């Protein structure tokens, strides 16, 4: 089974800022600077402390399903997985010192972020938090990394982040203020990684080109017995910025390394069978109101269908997808959003619903019980998904960093008539709902 985010500043694959920047931007006066003093104008440690900010966010939502599936789950939906049940998705507390100084200077910052809520079930790290909670609402250290800017080689220098990192691949991220919808696309759930322990680097070659690379222990695993195999994985990719006079940005990011569990597949297969993740996306800011994004993703895993024998034949699993986004600013406080997706699960090895609060992480680690509702058997499934919604984001004064209400309607369908939805009864699913958030 394949198992696959605040962003990595400077080299997140794409933040969809065009969808939300004008609605969720953090005014400087709304941030709390816990170490600010009258001495902040001086140099040295007190000046360094003065740039530290502390912010909070609360997000919750519901996805209603008129079909009322017998198992109670919306198939293929992580954040809104419990049909017709409201959920507290995230309570977020973030302390950060961002590196915003001159690119020609050495800089040191950090990010510490904790998240409590139902979303945390999918973003644990094995060996750190995955077995600490059994309820629907769980707690994770979502980010804990040191950020260093090194003015080396080029005018833009090199950015480095080391520690617990949100995965940089893909368009949609865990942070609800940085994505257009409450729910996620199939691609964002099944074909990109979520969380890492490792190091990421972003080399600013020039104003147009950034090169990204990094190494980590694997997707959502750590070290020793908390790693589901004994091999590392890593990233490499390129960003093309400021194209077409600053209107177009293209991001390509690839990743390679074993990601399957030795306890399930055996050490030979788990360590030798590579997973190749590839994602490329482009965003065009057509004008002040309209922006469009297109994403193409291809995942190839050599081990998901391999027999558990030393010299067993490899039978790789594949998934590929295309996702399109559109955002149109109707008024300064109201934005219309569209998402359309075609996702091909070629071996029915990727898409599943994890039934149980710890099932997803048990599947990652290969330990414990993982109860899931898998995709249809026999042949691969092509999923289609269309989501429409609006983002209502009125300003609530200088002490409220962000406030938004985001209703959406979503249509999911098997395009080759397999019956994956509503407990296996239907070849399609209609859900509606959304979320609300407030941040300080």
């Amino acid at each position: 089974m394949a198992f696959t985010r605040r962003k990595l500043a400077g080299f997140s694959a794409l933040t969809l800022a065009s969808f939300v920047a004008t609605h969720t931007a953090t005014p400087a006066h709304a941030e709390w600077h816990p170490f600010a003093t009258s001495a902040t104008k001086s140099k040295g440690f007190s000046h360094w402390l003065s740039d530290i900010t502390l912010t909070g966010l609360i997000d919750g939502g519901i996805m209603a399903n008129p079909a009322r599936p017998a198992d109670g789950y919306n198939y293929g939906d992580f954040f809104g997985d419990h049909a017709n049940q409201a959920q507290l998705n995230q309570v977020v507390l973030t302390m950060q010192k961002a590196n915003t100084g001159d690119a020609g200077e050495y800089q040191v910052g950090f990010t510490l972020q904790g998240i409590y809520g139902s979303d945390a079930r999918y973003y644990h790290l094995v060996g750190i938090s995955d077995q600490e909670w059994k309820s629907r609402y769980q707690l994770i250290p979502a980010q804990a990394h040191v950020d260093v800017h090194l003015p080396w080689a080029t005018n833009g220098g090199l950015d480095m982040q080391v520690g617990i990192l949100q995965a940089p691949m893909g368009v949609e991220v865990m942070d609800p203020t940085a994505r257009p919808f409450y729910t996620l696309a199939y691609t964002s759930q099944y074909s990109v990684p979520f969380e890492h322990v490792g190091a990421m680097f972003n080399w600013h070659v020039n104003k147009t080109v950034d090169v990204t690379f990094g190494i980590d222990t694997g997707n959502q695993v750590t070290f020793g017995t908390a790693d589901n195999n004994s091999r590392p994985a890593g990233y490499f990719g390129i960003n093309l910025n400021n194209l077409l006079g600053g209107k177009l940005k293209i991001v390509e990011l690839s990743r390679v390394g074993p990601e399957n569990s030795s306890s399930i597949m055996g050490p030979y297969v788990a360590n030798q069978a590579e997973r190749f993740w590839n994602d490329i996306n482009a965003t065009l800011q057509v004008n002040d109101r309209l922006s469009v994004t297109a994403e193409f993703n291809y995942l190839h895993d050599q081990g998901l269908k391999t027999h558990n024998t030393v010299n067993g034949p490899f039978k790789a699993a594949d998934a590929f997808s295309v996702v399109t986004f559109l955002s149109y600013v109707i008024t300064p406080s109201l934005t219309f959003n569209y998402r359309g997706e075609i996702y091909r699960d070629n071996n029915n090895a990727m898409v599943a619903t994890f039934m149980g609060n710890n099932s997803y992480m048990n599947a990652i680690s290969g330990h414990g019980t993982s109860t899931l509702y898998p995709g249809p058997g026999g042949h691969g499934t092509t999923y289609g998904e269309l989501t429409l919604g609006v983002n209502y984001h009125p300003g609530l004064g200088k002490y409220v960093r962000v406030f938004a209400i985001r209703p959406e309607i979503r249509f999911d369908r098997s395009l080759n008539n397999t019956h994956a939805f509503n407990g296996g009864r239907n070849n399609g699913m209609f859900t509606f709902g959304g979320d609300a958030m407030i941040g300080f």
Side-chain angles (χ1 to χ4, degrees):
M1 201 70 207
F3 317 103
T4 55
R5 76 202 183 39
R6 205 167 128 130
K7 304 161 291 197
L8 297 178
F11 47 91
S12 175
L14 190 59
T15 65
L16 285 180
S18 56
F19 287 103
V20 294
T22 59
H23 339 135
T24 61
T26 306
H29 56 258
E31 296 177 339
W32 178 30
H33 298 258
F35 299 100
T37 68
S38 59
T40 56
K41 292 184 179 180
S42 65
K43 298 296 183 181
F45 190 60
S46 62
H47 178 72
W48 186 85
L49 289 175
S50 70
D51 294 333
I52 295 174
T53 60
L54 183 65
T55 58
L57 178 75
I58 301 173
D59 177 63
I62 183 173
M63 288 304 289
N65 186 334
R68 297 183 176 274
D71 56 22
Y73 283 83
N74 292 324
Y75 179 78
D77 189 350
F78 282 4
F79 291 169
D81 56 352
H82 286 265
N84 307 309
Q85 294 184 34
Q87 298 191 117
L88 176 62
N89 290 88
Q90 297 185 28
V91 178
V92 187
L93 192 63
T94 306
M95 180 176 285
Q96 182 181 46
K97 176 178 171 55
N99 290 334
T100 58
D102 188 272
E105 299 176 347
Y106 287 91
Q107 301 174 56
V108 178
F110 67 88
T111 299
L112 297 174
Q113 184 180 72
I115 296 180
Y116 173 80
S118 60
D119 292 356
R121 294 168 298 163
Y122 298 99
Y123 282 80
H124 286 288
L125 289 166
V126 176
I128 293 181
S129 57
D130 62 309
Q131 296 300 319
E132 299 302 317
W133 304 80
K134 306 299 180 184
S135 64
R136 186 185 308 183
Y137 300 121
Q138 303 183 8
L139 178 66
I140 60 169
Q143 298 188 73
H145 49 83
V146 176
D147 309 330
V148 179
H149 176 75
L150 304 169
W152 294 353
T154 61
N155 291 336
L158 180 71
D159 289 320
M160 175 181 67
Q161 296 184 323
V162 180
I164 297 176
L165 309 170
Q166 298 273 294
M169 181 178 285
V171 171
E172 295 176 311
V173 296
M174 187 186 191
D175 181 356
T177 70
R179 63 177 195 264
F181 296 103
Y182 174 47
T183 62
L184 296 175
Y186 290 92
T187 302
S188 306
Q189 298 176 112
Y190 301 104
S191 288
V192 297
F194 283 175
E195 195 92 357
H196 301 303
V197 173
M200 290 292 299
F201 302 85
N202 190 35
W203 178 32
H204 304 285
V205 179
N206 53 47
K207 292 182 178 181
T208 301
V209 178
D210 292 339
V211 175
T212 301
F213 54 97
I215 187 169
D216 55 72
T217 56
N219 179 41
Q220 298 183 258
V221 296
T222 53
F223 298 97
T225 58
D227 191 349
N228 58 5
N229 57 62
S230 60
R231 301 293 173 85
Y235 287 95
F236 55 94
I238 187 170
N239 291 15
L240 300 177
N241 312 298
N242 302 310
L243 303 175
L244 297 182
K247 293 185 177 182
L248 176 65
K249 180 178 181 179
I250 301 173
V251 181
E252 189 282 327
L253 198 58
S254 296
R255 174 177 173 81
V256 62
E259 299 286 0
N260 296 300
S261 172
S262 296
S263 63
I264 294 176
M265 296 187 174
Y268 174 81
V269 171
N271 290 321
Q272 298 299 321
E274 306 279 1
R275 182 176 300 178
F276 301 89
W277 325 59
N278 302 277
D279 190 276
I280 184 169
N281 53 75
T283 291
L284 176 64
Q285 189 71 43
V286 180
N287 53 45
D288 291 342
R289 291 178 177 265
L290 177 64
S291 65
V292 292
T293 299
E295 177 182 18
F296 174 76
N297 185 286
Y298 174 64
L299 184 150
H300 175 82
D301 193 294
Q302 295 177 325
L304 285 177
K305 290 288 185 176
T306 301
H307 297 296
N308 188 13
T309 60
V310 172
N311 294 309
F314 285 121
K315 184 181 179 182
D318 294 278
F320 48 90
S321 60
V322 176
V323 196
T324 56
F325 300 84
L326 180 147
S327 174
Y328 184 78
V329 178
I330 302 172
T331 71
S333 60
L334 186 66
T335 304
F336 167 78
N337 291 314
Y338 147 91
R339 179 181 65 209
E341 179 182 26
I342 296 177
Y343 185 95
R344 173 65 180 179
D345 187 356
N346 210 40
N347 307 79
N348 284 322
M350 312 305 296
V351 180
T353 288
F354 295 87
M355 302 170 65
N357 297 321
N358 296 85
S359 290
Y360 176 83
M361 287 310 303
N362 287 343
I364 291 282
S365 66
H367 301 290
T369 301
S370 182
T371 303
L372 54 85
Y373 185 86
H379 56 81
T381 301
T382 303
Y383 297 91
E385 172 257 320
L386 173 66
T387 306
L388 305 174
V390 295
N391 185 333
Y392 176 60
H393 43 86
L396 296 184
K398 66 179 182 179
Y399 297 110
V400 179
R401 177 174 61 93
V402 55
F403 174 79
I405 299 173
R406 303 188 298 182
E408 69 176 69
I409 57 173
R410 174 168 174 156
F411 306 87
D412 293 79
R413 187 175 179 85
S414 166
L415 301 181
N416 56 340
N417 207 36
T418 54
H419 288 64
F421 302 99
N422 301 325
R425 301 198 318 262
N426 306 116
N427 62 1
M429 180 177 69
F430 168 69
T431 54
F432 63 94
D435 66 339
M437 68 184 80
I438 187 168
F440 303 93

